[in-house]
Amino acid sequence: MTGASGAQYGLRLLQCLLAANVRVWLLLSDAAQVVINTETDLQLPEGDDDILQGFLADRFAAKKGQLTLFGKRDWFSPVASGTGAPASMVVCPASGGTLSAVACGASNNLIERAADVALKERRQLILVPREAPYSEIHLENMLKLTRMGAMILPASPGFYQKPSTVEDIVDFVVARLLDQLDVEQKLLPHWGE
């Protein structure tokens, strides 16, 4: 999760992945933590990553060992190397700065490095921009990333399911992410169901 607005999308995705018994390696930028504290009623504890990991594991009912939080400079974490990289990575929400850094191959922090590894190893990389409107630079970076094999899945919910709450709108985008990750979801019926 990076510092773009839309922390609700990332937190709901985390909740759904953990509920589906998926092992999650979580990377949170400093800005993401500020946005979470600003946009949600969730107040993340200050302190080291172990305290934050325990808090999130408790909050989202993670099983022991199911959720691991890596620090922004944990260069020895599995996600920092092709030999330990996961099959899929989602950056949700993805800030414009993160899109730019990943498109340019910058690896200034662990999120950027993990995305770079996903691209070089031809793993699934999904970026969820929430910015609006997009500048030409945003669009060029999204096109460049798409051509590199990443998927751009903007946080642009549909309304054919007639959402009645903000949670319904968030669930639309999260359901699309879960579908792309091939994780069974019951948040939203598939078209025609």
Side-chain angles (χ1 to χ4, degrees):
M1 293 180 65
T2 67
S5 180
Q8 295 86 344
Y9 294 111
L11 292 171
R12 181 68 166 137
L13 178 61
L14 174 63
Q15 180 184 31
C16 290
L17 289 171
L18 294 172
N21 294 315
V22 174
R23 184 174 180 200
V24 176
W25 290 341
L26 181 63
L27 314 174
L28 281 175
S29 71
D30 291 341
Q33 294 180 47
V34 170
V35 172
I36 289 169
N37 287 337
T38 302
E39 291 186 346
T40 73
D41 55 4
L42 186 65
Q43 294 301 302
L44 300 178
E46 294 187 20
D48 65 17
D49 290 338
D50 290 337
I51 293 170
L52 182 54
Q53 177 178 308
F55 175 82
L56 291 170
D58 288 345
R59 171 70 181 227
F60 295 109
K63 295 176 182 159
K64 185 170 178 61
Q66 187 184 11
L67 174 64
T68 304
L69 177 67
F70 293 110
K72 64 183 174 186
R73 301 219 185 282
D74 190 352
W75 302 116
F76 290 102
S77 67
V79 298
S81 171
T83 60
S88 300
M89 178 178 178
V90 179
V91 182
C92 179
S95 67
T98 300
L99 286 173
S100 174
V102 174
C104 294
S107 293
N108 297 314
N109 60 50
L110 190 58
I111 294 171
E112 295 168 11
R113 173 63 186 160
D116 185 46
V117 168
L119 288 171
K120 82 178 184 70
E121 297 294 327
R122 304 290 192 257
R123 306 287 172 87
Q124 184 180 35
L125 174 62
I126 304 171
L127 297 117
V128 184
R130 210 284 323 142
E131 306 278 345
Y134 296 129
S135 72
E136 183 175 347
I137 293 169
H138 294 134
L139 293 169
E140 286 176 355
N141 286 330
M142 286 188 266
L143 178 60
K144 187 175 181 181
L145 286 162
T146 299
R147 288 179 173 158
M148 287 185 223
M151 173 178 283
I152 306 299
L153 197 154
S156 302
F159 291 89
Y160 54 81
Q161 83 282 18
K162 298 181 182 162
S164 58
T165 65
V166 171
E167 290 78 15
D168 291 342
I169 294 169
V170 169
D171 279 354
F172 180 94
V173 173
V174 172
R176 297 298 313 267
L177 287 165
L178 293 169
D179 287 344
Q180 290 300 318
L181 294 168
D182 203 26
V183 173
E184 186 176 340
Q185 58 86 14
K186 300 285 186 206
L187 301 176
L188 187 70
H190 294 101
W191 191 254
E193 289 183 342

